[in-house]
Amino acid sequence: MLIFAIESSHDDTSFALLENNKALWMKTITQIEIHKQYGGTVPEIASRLHVKNIGILIRDLLKEIDITKIDLIAYTKEPGLIGSLHVGHMVANAIALQLKKPILPLNHLQGHFYSAFIEREVEYPALGLLVSGGHSQLMLYKTKDEYEIIGETQDDAVGEVYDKIARKFELGFPGGPLIDKIWQQNCNIYIDTFTIPQTQNEFNFSFSGLKTHVINLYNNKINRKEKINIKEYATKFQNTIVQYLKNHMQKAIEIYKPKCIALVGGVSANFAIREMMLTLHDKVYLPELKYSTDNAMMIARLAYEKTRK
């Protein structure tokens, strides 16, 4: 089966072709440089740019393949920015109508889970840790049709906290890669953590308290006119995030005994978190870096899993 997929939930416009779990072609146009000047994504600008970028991708798609060979059109229905999602929805429906092919609306977060299994098979039950700019979840797949969120953030997402801390430290945007780079250079010097957050549900996450604590430490230094060691604060912040995620994963693995685990989402590109995950289980699946951020290939992979016999 040849699947064509569209992803437009946030600020990346992406098309992909997947045939029987073999990745054939993908192209993604990112808006990150445009939104960087605002310190975050501006929804109205994102929507307008999706309209422009999808036109470019349609021309590229027509150069790659005879679109009449497509068997199924898949697209991201939810969650995401309403305007951005609407652009993908309209284009997917127009193509499906023109080709008289079936169309499949899909969940962006489930797509992220399957980003770790592009050209790979899932061994169920599987446990996924989704960490991104908008979401933080523990996802348990007992089978391909039986899916459960066993834990999620109660406030900020982990990637969102990285961005806010980096903005406070005047490091730039997006914050995750910048803090991760500082961590890699200083993790052997600063090995402590800040206080590990707690939640009522042992598998839920809460990052806002940690964010507030670090920002308050920074502000107190400013108010006292004391020198601030950004390298120390950034490294200890990431130490705390890694340990917090590790604690959750270890508990979940002990209880649910998955056959494999996966780290997915934009923050899955983080070096420290990837290295930590590799220590937790015999079978750990990490997405290729090009599939860690929002992309259409993960939507195509989800469509393949949902429609396969």
Side-chain angles (χ1 to χ4, degrees):
M1 173 180 281
L2 179 58
I3 298 171
F4 166 63
I6 299 174
E7 158 60 29
S8 66
S9 65
H10 193 228
D11 60 355
D12 289 327
T13 316
S14 185
F15 280 11
L17 293 166
L18 180 80
E19 186 168 27
N20 298 326
N21 202 19
K22 179 176 176 57
L24 300 182
W25 173 82
M26 184 180 81
K27 185 167 184 181
T28 301
I29 302 177
T30 182
Q31 305 173 13
I32 191 167
E33 290 301 319
I34 295 168
H35 295 289
K36 184 181 290 187
Q37 60 187 305
Y38 304 105
T41 305
V42 180
E44 294 82 1
I45 294 175
S47 301
R48 292 199 296 270
L49 289 174
H50 278 302
V51 174
K52 173 187 173 183
N53 293 337
I54 269 185
I56 296 170
L57 292 183
I58 287 174
R59 289 193 291 272
D60 291 343
L61 174 69
L62 294 174
K63 294 175 185 177
E64 289 292 327
I65 194 171
D66 175 1
I67 62 171
T68 62
K69 295 180 180 179
I70 292 171
D71 298 303
L72 173 71
I73 291 91
Y75 73 96
T76 300
K77 177 188 176 186
E78 59 187 2
L81 301 176
I82 298 300
S84 297
L85 289 168
H86 185 65
V87 175
H89 163 79
M90 295 295 291
V91 172
N93 276 273
I95 293 173
L97 185 64
Q98 175 67 28
L99 298 179
K100 296 181 174 59
K101 299 293 185 178
I103 186 168
L104 186 60
L106 294 171
N107 183 285
H108 173 80
L109 304 182
Q110 292 186 43
H112 268 303
F113 174 78
Y114 283 100
S115 68
F117 300 97
I118 295 166
E119 299 191 348
R120 303 167 179 168
E121 291 298 323
V122 187
E123 298 179 68
Y124 300 103
L127 179 69
L129 174 61
L130 167 61
V131 279
S132 73
H135 305 278
S136 301
Q137 292 183 347
L138 271 174
M139 317 163 77
L140 179 66
Y141 278 83
K142 296 179 182 177
T143 69
K144 73 183 185 75
D145 298 315
E146 194 176 356
Y147 155 75
E148 178 184 2
I149 297 172
I150 62 173
E152 59 189 335
T153 184
Q154 302 298 285
D155 37 62
D156 296 346
V158 63
E160 181 184 1
V161 173
Y162 269 96
D163 287 340
K164 289 177 178 177
I165 294 296
R167 187 181 303 124
K168 190 66 180 179
F169 290 173
E170 298 181 351
L171 296 175
F173 176 85
L178 299 168
I179 291 176
D180 190 33
K181 184 176 181 180
I182 292 173
W183 182 90
Q184 291 179 57
Q185 296 169 345
N186 294 275
C187 60
N188 292 326
I189 302 172
Y190 307 111
I191 61 174
D192 294 336
T193 68
F194 295 115
T195 302
I196 304 295
Q198 299 288 328
T199 57
Q200 187 172 0
N201 177 341
E202 64 178 343
F203 292 127
N204 280 341
F205 300 97
S206 175
F207 297 102
S208 66
L210 172 62
K211 172 195 67 180
T212 301
H213 178 62
V214 176
I215 289 175
N216 285 343
L217 288 174
Y218 180 92
N219 288 338
N220 289 339
K221 288 281 188 180
I222 292 290
N223 293 336
R224 296 181 190 131
K225 295 181 169 48
E226 297 176 358
K227 185 177 180 181
I228 302 170
N229 188 336
I230 295 297
K231 292 179 180 179
E232 178 183 3
Y233 280 14
T235 302
K236 289 175 68 174
F237 166 74
Q238 178 147 303
N239 287 345
T240 308
I241 293 291
V242 171
Q243 187 61 52
Y244 188 33
L245 297 177
K246 181 178 181 180
N247 291 348
H248 275 54
M249 285 298 296
Q250 287 178 323
K251 291 176 188 174
I253 290 168
E254 182 180 352
I255 292 173
Y256 295 103
K257 297 178 173 49
K259 290 185 178 178
C260 70
I261 64 173
L263 173 69
V264 298
V267 185
S268 70
N270 182 285
F271 178 83
I273 299 174
R274 289 173 82 92
E275 290 295 299
M276 175 273 291
M277 286 287 290
L278 291 172
T279 68
L280 300 181
H281 199 278
D282 292 336
K283 292 185 178 179
V284 181
Y285 291 88
L286 305 174
E288 294 182 42
L289 292 181
K290 63 182 176 181
Y291 298 138
S292 62
T293 53
D294 296 347
N295 67 90
M297 195 63 76
M298 70 186 193
I299 302 302
R301 177 64 180 87
L302 173 59
Y304 172 72
E305 194 75 9
K306 283 188 171 291
T307 57
R308 68 193 298 189
K309 300 287 195 219

